[in-house]
Amino acid sequence: MKTDRSAQLFLEAKTLMPGGVNSPVRACRSVGCEPLFVRKASGCMLTDVDGNEFIDFVGSWGPMILGHSHPEVVEAICRTAADGTSFGAPSPLEVELAAMVCDAVPSIEKVRFVNSGTEATMSAVRLARGYTGRKAVVKFDGCYHGHADSFLVKAGSGVITLGIPGSPGVPEDIVKNTLSIPYNNEAVLEETLRNASLDIACVIVEPVAGNMGVVAPAQNFLRRLRELTRELGIVLIFDEVITGFRLALGGAQERFGVIPDLTCLGKIIGGGLPVGAYGGKRELMEMIAPDGPVYQAGTLSGNPLAMAAGLAMLNIVKRPGFYAELEEKSAWFGDEMEKLAAAAPVPIVLNRIGSLMTCFFTDKPITDFESALQANTALYGQYYRHMLAGGVWLAPSQFEAAFISAAHDRAHLEQALRVTESSFKKLMV
Ligand code: KE4
């Protein structure tokens, strides 16, 4: 595969930006190759600057549930841009998208738009601390909630991918107020939450973990989490930046029937433009300035282009049958992947929920951070390189998700399966 232009761009990029990238995991450090630079994307296909084409299973890390350059999304952005790109003042589009989010997400009575998932989760935690007057935040090992100081403790995604223990620059005073406990462990959860000396303001959780690879909640884990936090007056925050509008129109909370106090969103609701949101019960949200004393602000929050792109995307995903079709296609693909994994020369565990999945290179069930860390990341690197050479674009990390979109048709998925079969056969421990 010719990659001269990417190599040239990467050399220049590294002189200008840390690691030559604007987000660490894109540097492909853990999969033993240099990043390819993307020129364009359409549907489920990416084309790099050397003209190589790939079936894309990253989808910009989740937003592209419709596939890239969906005509209705592109048209909405172009039409809106012609009337201005940012006003720093309220616009009708914010009201429309807020109404759609409040209508779709069971926990959200009021919502505030921000510019990233990180902004959403950091704001939700500040709100929980302001509302309860307590300081401590409980998160789960391997879950990633963005790069705000409070969250860089045993975090997932790029933090484990790069093997960074936490992050320099996060003061001990901040870290000591973040407790990270094992995902899917009800006993430790109950023991931690019932420890009154911990002064816990909130628990933040990925209701389906996507940042240690895909890990589903154990039976009853979310329900127990909801019971305990309600009993103890602890704010329960669902970080649905990945799962929101992905696992159902109402996200994981609709799929599992467990309703948090606050929900964080991102990715899909912006249709590929920079966006995040946090929302929840009126009583909590009315603590946010200018209604209440908890301050949060943003120059580009509610940006008309992001609102228009999000509206276009949500208007499509809410059409009858959208999720049923995505589920059916993903289940078929997952079943075929299971067959290939069973026939592979190395042990492979496939975790899939809806259109999210991860191949772990291990022979043990992956149910939490500890088990995920046992996976053979060198094998994942081999897998990644073979798949890329075969024209399939995967997340450059064992600890991420693969995303299936509405744009992945049967022919694309069958081609991806052929490349997977050939890649699995080449794996060597
Ligand atoms: P952003 O600030 O990157 O928009 O969102 C942070 C975030 C919050 N919560 C969850 C559950 C997330 O998955 C994320 C971001 N996801 C990563 C990939 N797993 C983004 C990719 C990257 O960091 O480059």
Side-chain angles (χ1 to χ4, degrees):
M1 179 164 56
K2 179 176 167 297
T3 60
D4 307 21
R5 182 71 185 120
S6 277
Q8 196 181 34
L9 280 167
F10 192 44
L11 274 177
E12 183 183 359
K14 284 189 289 188
T15 67
L16 299 166
M17 297 170 279
V21 292
N22 284 303
S23 199
V25 71
R26 302 178 192 172
C28 298
R29 290 274 172 96
S30 74
V31 288
C33 53
E34 294 196 340
L36 300 179
F37 283 59
V38 177
R39 185 165 63 82
K40 65 175 183 175
S42 176
C44 68
M45 299 303 292
L46 288 179
T47 305
D48 74 8
V49 291
D50 291 285
N52 302 303
E53 293 191 338
F54 304 91
I55 303 172
D56 177 18
F57 285 90
V58 177
S60 183
W61 304 94
M64 298 301 155
I65 194 168
L66 301 180
H68 295 281
S69 312
H70 189 287
E72 291 177 56
V73 177
V74 173
E75 194 280 326
I77 295 168
C78 295
R79 182 183 70 242
T80 306
D83 292 334
T85 56
S86 179
F87 312 123
S91 80
L93 294 169
E94 298 164 75
V95 180
E96 268 185 79
L97 189 59
M100 198 174 274
V101 167
C102 292
D103 185 50
V105 185
S107 59
I108 297 185
E109 295 176 338
K110 275 197 166 180
V111 65
R112 168 63 62 85
F113 292 112
V114 292
N115 298 283
S116 69
T118 297
E119 261 197 275
T121 54
M122 63 185 266
S123 305
V125 164
R126 182 182 306 143
L127 172 55
R129 285 171 159 157
Y131 177 73
T132 61
R134 302 179 198 161
K135 280 193 295 191
V137 177
V138 173
K139 70 176 288 292
F140 294 89
D141 300 346
C143 287
Y144 176 74
H145 305 291
H147 64 88
D149 283 353
S150 304
F151 302 132
L152 292 180
V153 176
K154 288 190 183 177
S157 186
V159 181
I160 42 176
T161 297
L162 298 174
I164 301 172
S167 172
V170 181
E172 189 46 41
D173 287 358
I174 299 270
V175 171
K176 75 182 182 200
N177 284 315
T178 300
L179 301 163
S180 195
I181 60 176
Y183 194 73
N184 278 334
N185 185 320
E186 283 189 39
V188 172
L189 172 68
E190 178 144 12
E191 181 193 348
T192 304
L193 298 196
R194 290 196 183 286
N195 180 344
S197 69
L198 293 176
D199 189 35
I200 298 170
C202 60
V203 177
I204 185 166
V205 66
E206 288 183 63
V208 170
N211 287 291
M212 49 180 128
V214 174
V215 175
Q219 183 76 23
N220 208 42
F221 177 66
L222 295 177
R223 197 165 305 288
R224 189 69 188 122
L225 178 55
R226 175 66 284 181
E227 285 167 2
L228 284 165
T229 47
R230 181 176 288 119
E231 178 196 334
L232 299 164
I234 295 170
V235 175
L236 177 56
I237 304 171
F238 271 15
D239 177 351
E240 296 224 39
V241 168
I242 285 182
T243 56
F245 294 95
R246 166 67 60 178
L247 293 184
L249 188 66
Q253 57 197 266
E254 176 187 302
R255 192 176 181 115
F256 291 98
V258 176
I259 313 303
D261 300 308
L262 292 174
T263 297
C264 302
L265 298 169
K267 298 183 194 275
I268 290 173
I269 64 164
L273 269 66
V275 76
Y278 65 102
K281 291 177 180 161
R282 203 175 295 281
E283 178 193 359
L284 272 155
M285 291 306 290
E286 284 170 357
M287 292 275 298
I288 294 289
D291 277 349
V294 179
Y295 195 72
Q296 178 270 311
T299 303
L300 296 174
S301 297
N303 175 271
L305 299 195
M307 299 294 104
L311 274 167
M313 190 163 270
L314 297 198
N315 274 318
I316 294 168
V317 302
K318 70 181 221 180
R319 286 174 189 161
F322 178 85
Y323 288 100
E325 190 181 331
L326 188 59
E327 282 291 320
E328 187 194 345
K329 175 162 59 174
S330 303
W332 170 80
F333 186 72
D335 290 348
E336 294 304 310
M337 284 291 290
E338 288 285 4
K339 293 174 195 167
L340 297 177
V346 296
I348 298 171
V349 165
L350 184 77
N351 279 6
R352 181 186 70 81
I353 181 161
S355 56
L356 293 174
M357 70 179 70
T358 300
C359 279
F360 290 95
F361 291 86
T362 179
D363 56 0
K364 300 179 183 60
I366 305 288
T367 58
D368 59 13
F369 186 55
E370 189 181 348
S371 50
L373 287 178
Q374 303 306 311
N376 184 326
T377 53
L379 273 180
Y380 184 87
Q382 287 183 37
Y383 166 59
Y384 174 86
R385 294 191 298 275
H386 288 313
M387 293 293 279
L388 195 67
V392 178
W393 188 281
L394 296 176
S397 161
Q398 169 69 87
F399 306 111
E400 296 287 356
F403 299 84
I404 295 175
S405 79
H408 287 88
D409 63 23
R410 193 67 174 250
H412 290 117
L413 294 176
E414 284 171 349
Q415 173 58 18
L417 288 168
R418 283 190 289 273
V419 178
T420 301
E421 183 173 25
S422 136
S423 301
F424 280 171
K425 282 179 178 160
K426 293 172 188 163
L427 296 177
M428 290 186 293
V429 179

